[in-house]
């Protein structure tokens, strides 16, 4: 894999949505139905210099994406972000998630105003728990039975990192 990281552009939205949709049938995100690029245009436009969205390319093909979004819409939390990362099934198990989180770590340290990053991970998603744990995030707690997906209750684990 020849991976490069860059800021996401509107032309990437179709591929970003396709990567996200690969996980809709798994209890690892909040959606239970496929999303469309049209439904995510406003979401894409919400990213900015303080809360960016990046893609990872392998020889020009977008194979993963990672975004930092405001943690909570109150000024007291302006230096905190929620992180999401999705890796295409074809690019999984090759260390890309870890490389992407290392890249994000460098960006936060060098050029972003963010001081705290929070990841919400469903309890059954052991690969993400392992990924974030290996990238310096620590387990901060559990929101028990907080989500209902396909008529099942799920716990949401909170992992975090401060800078």
């Amino acid at each position: 894999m020849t991976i490069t990281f860059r800021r996401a552009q509107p032309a990437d939205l179709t591929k970003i949505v396709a990567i996200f949709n690969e996980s809709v049938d798994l209890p690892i995100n909040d959606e239970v139905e496929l999303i469309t690029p049209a439904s995510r245009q406003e979401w894409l436009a919400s990213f900015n210099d303080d809360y960016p969205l990046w893609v990872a390319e392998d020889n020009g093909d977008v194979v993963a994406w990672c975004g930092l979004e405001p943690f909570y819409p109150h000024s007291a939390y302006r230096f905190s972000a929620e992180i999401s990362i999705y890796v295409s099934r074809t690019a999984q198990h090759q260390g890309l998630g870890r490389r992407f989180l290392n890249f994000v770590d460098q960006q936060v340290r060098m050029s972003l105003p963010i001081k705290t990053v929070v990841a919400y991970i469903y309890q059954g998603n052991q690969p993400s728990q392992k990924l974030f744990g290996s990238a310096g995030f620590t387990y901060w707690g559990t929101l028990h039975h907080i989500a209902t997906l396909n008529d099942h209750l799920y716990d949401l684990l909170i992992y975090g990192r401060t800078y």
Side-chain angles (χ1 to χ4, degrees), residues 2-163:
T2 305
I3 299 297
T4 56
F5 301 104
R6 64 170 174 78
R7 290 283 296 271
Q9 302 169 4
D12 299 319
L13 186 57
T14 299
K15 188 64 178 188
I16 289 168
V17 166
I19 292 168
F20 180 87
N21 281 339
E22 290 178 356
S23 67
V24 167
D25 63 335
L26 306 171
I28 63 169
N29 67 54
D30 302 329
E31 301 293 336
V32 293
E33 295 181 6
L34 298 177
I35 61 172
T36 65
S39 72
R40 292 296 190 215
Q41 287 180 347
E42 188 174 314
W43 168 82
L44 178 65
S46 72
F47 290 93
N48 58 45
D49 290 340
D50 290 341
Y51 298 97
L53 176 67
W54 298 279
V55 295
E57 289 183 318
D58 181 18
N59 294 314
D61 184 35
V62 174
V63 293
W65 62 268
C66 183
L68 295 174
E69 298 179 75
F71 170 73
Y72 194 75
H74 191 284
S75 64
Y77 302 101
R78 68 186 173 279
F79 301 118
S80 299
E82 178 183 348
I83 189 170
S84 298
I85 184 170
Y86 286 84
V87 177
S88 171
R89 287 182 180 168
T90 61
Q92 291 177 2
H93 309 292
Q94 299 177 48
L96 179 56
R98 176 60 190 211
R99 287 178 61 191
F100 215 153
L101 288 181
N102 287 342
F103 169 80
V104 171
D105 178 62
Q106 290 174 346
Q107 297 301 304
V108 170
R109 290 178 188 277
M110 293 183 340
S111 62
L112 297 176
I114 294 168
K115 303 296 178 210
T116 303
V117 178
V118 176
Y120 294 108
I121 304 170
Y122 284 108
Q123 187 166 9
N125 188 351
Q126 282 85 16
S128 286
Q129 293 170 45
K130 182 178 176 184
L131 171 64
F132 279 92
S134 72
F137 285 73
T138 56
Y139 169 76
W140 285 358
T142 300
L143 298 172
H144 296 283
H145 293 162
I146 193 77
T148 303
L149 301 169
N150 296 319
D151 297 323
H152 291 91
L153 285 171
Y154 289 92
D155 292 349
L156 196 58
L157 307 181
I158 304 166
Y159 280 74
R161 182 173 185 165
T162 56
Y163 290 87

